[in-house]
Coordinates of all heavy atoms in Angstrom, one line a residue:
S110 N 0.8 -1.1 0.1 CA 0.0 0.0 0.0 C 0.8 1.2 0.0 O 2.0 1.2 0.5 CB -1.0 -0.1 1.2 OG -0.2 0.0 2.5
D111 N 0.3 2.3 -0.5 CA 0.9 3.7 -0.4 C 0.1 4.5 0.5 O -1.1 4.8 0.3 CB 0.9 4.2 -1.8 CG 1.4 5.7 -1.9 OD1 2.2 6.0 -1.0 OD2 1.0 6.4 -2.8
N112 N 0.6 5.0 1.4 CA 0.0 5.9 2.5 C 0.6 7.3 2.6 O 1.9 7.3 2.8 CB -0.1 5.3 4.0 CG -0.8 4.1 3.9 OD1 -2.0 4.0 3.3 ND2 -0.4 3.0 4.4
E113 N -0.1 8.3 2.4 CA 0.6 9.7 2.4 C -0.3 10.4 3.6 O -1.4 10.6 3.5 CB 0.5 10.4 1.1 CG 1.0 9.6 0.0 CD 1.0 10.3 -1.4 OE1 0.9 11.5 -1.3 OE2 0.9 9.5 -2.4
D114 N 0.5 11.0 4.5 CA -0.1 11.6 5.6 C 0.5 13.0 5.9 O 1.6 13.2 5.6 CB 0.2 10.9 7.0 CG -0.6 9.5 6.9 OD1 -1.7 9.4 7.4 OD2 0.1 8.5 6.5
A115 N -0.4 13.9 6.3 CA 0.0 15.3 6.7 C -0.7 15.7 7.9 O -1.9 15.4 8.1 CB -0.2 16.2 5.6
V116 N 0.1 16.3 8.8 CA -0.5 17.0 10.1 C -0.3 18.5 9.9 O 1.0 18.9 9.7 CB 0.1 16.4 11.3 CG1 -0.4 17.2 12.5 CG2 0.0 14.9 11.5
V117 N -1.3 19.1 9.9 CA -1.2 20.6 9.7 C -1.7 21.6 10.9 O -2.8 21.1 11.5 CB -2.3 21.0 8.5 CG1 -2.0 22.5 8.2 CG2 -2.0 20.2 7.2
L118 N -0.9 22.2 11.5 CA -1.2 23.2 12.6 C -1.4 24.6 12.0 O -0.5 25.1 11.4 CB 0.0 23.2 13.5 CG 0.0 24.2 14.7 CD1 -1.2 23.9 15.5 CD2 1.4 24.2 15.5
S119 N -2.5 25.0 12.3 CA -2.9 26.3 11.8 C -3.0 27.4 13.0 O -3.6 27.1 14.1 CB -4.2 26.3 11.0 OG -4.3 25.4 10.0
I120 N -2.5 28.5 12.8 CA -2.4 29.5 13.9 C -3.1 30.8 13.1 O -2.3 31.2 12.0 CB -1.1 29.9 14.4 CG1 -0.5 28.5 15.0 CG2 -1.2 31.0 15.4 CD1 1.0 28.8 15.6
A121 N -4.1 31.5 13.6 CA -4.8 32.5 12.9 C -5.1 33.5 13.9 O -5.4 33.2 15.1 CB -5.9 32.1 12.1
R122 N -5.2 34.8 13.5 CA -5.7 35.9 14.3 C -6.6 36.8 13.5 O -6.2 37.2 12.3 CB -4.5 36.6 14.9 CG -4.9 37.8 15.7 CD -3.7 38.4 16.4 NE -4.2 39.6 17.2 CZ -3.4 40.3 18.0 NH1 -2.2 40.0 18.2 NH2 -3.8 41.3 18.6
D123 N -7.7 37.4 14.0 CA -8.6 38.1 13.4 C -8.3 39.6 13.9 O -8.5 40.0 15.0 CB -9.9 37.9 13.8 CG -11.0 38.6 12.9 OD1 -10.6 39.4 11.9 OD2 -12.1 38.6 13.1
N124 N -7.5 40.4 13.1 CA -7.3 41.8 13.5 C -8.4 42.8 13.2 O -8.8 42.8 12.0 CB -5.9 42.3 12.8 CG -4.8 41.5 13.0 OD1 -4.3 41.4 14.0 ND2 -4.5 40.5 12.0
K125 N -8.8 43.5 14.2 CA -10.0 44.2 14.1 C -9.7 45.7 14.3 O -8.9 45.9 15.2 CB -11.2 43.9 14.9 CG -11.8 42.6 14.6 CD -12.9 42.1 15.5 CE -13.5 40.9 15.2 NZ -14.7 40.6 16.1
F126 N -10.1 46.7 13.5 CA -9.9 48.1 13.8 C -11.0 48.9 13.3 O -11.8 48.4 12.4 CB -8.6 48.5 13.2 CG -8.4 48.4 11.7 CD1 -8.7 49.5 10.9 CD2 -7.9 47.2 11.2 CE1 -8.6 49.3 9.5 CE2 -7.8 47.1 9.9 CZ -8.2 48.2 9.0
T127 N -11.2 50.1 13.7 CA -12.3 51.0 13.3 C -11.9 52.0 12.4 O -10.8 52.6 12.6 CB -12.9 51.6 14.5 OG1 -13.4 50.8 15.4 CG2 -14.0 52.6 14.2
L128 N -12.4 52.2 11.2 CA -12.1 53.1 10.1 C -13.1 54.1 10.3 O -14.4 54.0 10.1 CB -12.2 52.3 8.7 CG -11.9 53.2 7.5 CD1 -10.4 53.6 7.7 CD2 -12.1 52.4 6.3
D129 N -12.6 55.4 10.5 CA -13.5 56.6 10.7 C -13.5 57.4 9.4 O -12.4 57.8 8.9 CB -12.8 57.4 12.0 CG -13.8 58.6 12.3 OD1 -14.7 58.7 11.6 OD2 -13.7 59.1 13.4
W130 N -14.6 57.6 8.8 CA -14.6 58.3 7.6 C -14.8 59.8 7.7 O -14.9 60.5 6.8 CB -15.9 57.8 6.9 CG -15.8 56.5 6.4 CD1 -16.4 55.2 6.9 CD2 -15.1 55.9 5.1 NE1 -16.1 54.2 6.2 CE2 -15.3 54.5 5.2 CE3 -14.3 56.6 4.2 CZ2 -14.7 53.8 4.2 CZ3 -13.8 55.7 3.2 CH2 -14.0 54.4 3.2
G131 N -14.7 60.3 9.0 CA -14.6 61.6 9.3 C -15.9 62.5 8.9 O -16.9 62.3 9.6
W132 N -15.7 63.3 7.9 CA -16.8 64.1 7.5 C -18.1 63.5 7.2 O -19.2 64.0 7.2 CB -16.3 65.0 6.4 CG -15.9 64.3 5.1 CD1 -14.8 63.8 4.7 CD2 -16.9 64.0 4.1 NE1 -15.0 63.1 3.5 CE2 -16.2 63.2 3.1 CE3 -18.2 64.4 3.8 CZ2 -16.8 62.8 1.9 CZ3 -18.7 63.9 2.5 CH2 -18.1 63.2 1.7
L133 N -18.0 62.2 6.9 CA -19.1 61.5 6.7 C -19.9 61.0 8.1 O -21.1 60.5 8.0 CB -19.0 60.2 5.8 CG -18.6 60.5 4.4 CD1 -18.2 59.0 3.7 CD2 -19.7 61.0 3.7
Y134 N -19.2 61.2 9.1 CA -19.9 60.8 10.4 C -20.2 59.5 10.4 O -21.2 59.0 10.9 CB -21.1 61.8 10.8 CG -20.8 63.2 10.8 CD1 -21.1 64.0 9.8 CD2 -20.1 63.7 11.9 CE1 -20.8 65.4 9.8 CE2 -19.8 65.0 11.7 CZ -20.2 65.8 10.8 OH -19.8 67.2 10.8
Y135 N -19.3 58.6 9.8 CA -19.5 57.2 9.8 C -18.3 56.4 10.2 O -17.2 56.7 9.7 CB -19.9 56.8 8.3 CG -20.3 55.4 8.1 CD1 -21.3 54.7 8.6 CD2 -19.3 54.8 7.3 CE1 -21.6 53.4 8.4 CE2 -19.5 53.4 7.0 CZ -20.7 52.7 7.7 OH -20.8 51.3 7.3
K136 N -18.6 55.5 11.1 CA -17.4 54.6 11.3 C -17.6 53.1 11.0 O -18.9 52.7 11.2 CB -17.2 54.7 13.0 CG -16.6 56.1 13.4 CD -16.3 56.0 14.9 CE -16.0 57.3 15.4 NZ -15.7 57.4 16.9
E137 N -16.8 52.3 10.7 CA -16.9 51.1 10.1 C -15.8 50.2 10.8 O -14.6 50.5 10.9 CB -16.8 50.9 8.7 CG -17.0 49.6 8.0 CD -17.1 49.6 6.5 OE1 -16.8 50.6 6.0 OE2 -17.5 48.6 6.0
T138 N -16.3 49.1 11.2 CA -15.3 48.1 11.8 C -14.7 47.2 10.7 O -15.5 46.5 9.9 CB -15.9 47.1 12.9 OG1 -16.4 48.0 13.9 CG2 -15.0 46.1 13.4
V139 N -13.5 47.1 10.5 CA -12.8 46.3 9.6 C -12.1 45.2 10.1 O -11.4 45.3 11.2 CB -11.8 47.2 8.8 CG1 -11.2 46.4 7.5 CG2 -12.5 48.4 8.0
E140 N -12.2 44.0 9.6 CA -11.6 42.9 10.0 C -10.6 42.4 9.0 O -10.8 42.2 7.8 CB -12.7 41.7 10.1 CG -13.6 41.9 11.3 CD -14.5 40.6 11.4 OE1 -13.9 39.6 11.6 OE2 -15.7 40.9 11.6
V141 N -9.4 42.2 9.5 CA -8.2 41.6 8.6 C -7.6 40.4 9.2 O -6.6 40.5 10.0 CB -7.1 42.7 8.4 CG1 -6.1 42.3 7.4 CG2 -7.8 44.1 7.9
P142 N -8.2 39.2 8.9 CA -7.6 38.0 9.5 C -6.2 37.6 8.8 O -6.1 37.7 7.5 CB -8.6 36.9 9.2 CG -9.4 37.5 7.9 CD -9.3 38.9 8.2
I143 N -5.3 37.0 9.5 CA -4.1 36.5 9.0 C -3.9 35.0 9.5 O -4.4 34.8 10.7 CB -3.0 37.4 9.2 CG1 -2.8 37.6 10.8 CG2 -3.0 38.7 8.6 CD1 -1.4 38.3 11.2
G144 N -3.3 34.2 8.9 CA -3.0 32.9 9.3 C -1.9 32.2 8.7 O -1.3 32.6 7.7
I145 N -1.4 31.1 9.2 CA -0.2 30.4 8.8 C -0.5 29.0 9.1 O -0.9 28.6 10.1 CB 1.1 31.1 9.6 CG1 2.3 30.4 8.8 CG2 1.1 30.8 11.0 CD1 3.6 31.0 9.3
N146 N 0.1 28.1 8.2 CA 0.1 26.7 8.4 C 1.4 26.1 8.4 O 2.4 26.5 7.8 CB -0.6 26.1 7.2 CG -2.1 26.2 7.1 OD1 -2.7 26.3 8.1 ND2 -2.7 26.1 6.0
F147 N 1.6 25.2 9.5 CA 2.9 24.5 9.5 C 2.5 23.1 9.2 O 1.7 22.5 9.9 CB 3.4 24.6 11.1 CG 3.8 26.0 11.3 CD1 2.9 26.8 11.9 CD2 5.0 26.6 11.1 CE1 3.2 28.1 12.3 CE2 5.6 27.7 11.4 CZ 4.5 28.6 12.1
K148 N 3.3 22.4 8.4 CA 2.9 21.1 7.9 C 4.1 20.1 8.0 O 5.1 20.4 8.0 CB 2.6 21.0 6.4 CG 1.5 22.0 6.1 CD 1.2 22.1 4.5 CE 0.0 23.0 4.1 NZ 0.0 23.1 2.6
I149 N 3.6 18.9 8.6 CA 4.5 17.7 8.7 C 4.0 16.7 7.6 O 2.9 16.2 7.9 CB 4.7 17.2 10.1 CG1 5.3 18.3 11.0 CG2 5.6 16.0 10.1 CD1 5.3 17.8 12.5
I150 N 4.8 16.3 6.8 CA 4.3 15.4 5.7 C 5.1 14.0 5.8 O 6.3 14.1 5.9 CB 4.4 16.0 4.5 CG1 3.6 17.3 4.4 CG2 3.8 15.0 3.2 CD1 3.9 18.3 3.1
H151 N 4.4 13.0 5.6 CA 5.0 11.6 5.6 C 4.5 10.7 4.5 O 3.2 10.8 4.4 CB 4.9 11.0 7.0 CG 5.3 9.5 7.0 ND1 6.6 9.3 7.3 CD2 4.6 8.4 7.0 CE1 6.9 7.8 7.2 NE2 5.6 7.4 7.0
Q152 N 5.3 10.1 3.7 CA 4.8 9.1 2.8 C 5.6 7.8 2.9 O 6.8 7.8 3.2 CB 5.0 9.7 1.3 CG 4.7 8.7 0.3 CD 4.8 9.3 -1.1 OE1 5.3 10.4 -1.2 NE2 4.3 8.6 -2.1

């Protein structure tokens, strides 16, 4: 048989900040998630 395995560790963070449009008197919450995968592969 041929067996191919991978274990993936994911680390992610959701970065949130408020965007103020100033003269429009409007504020908006913006989300910028980032993530990274670490992989161990065996065949």
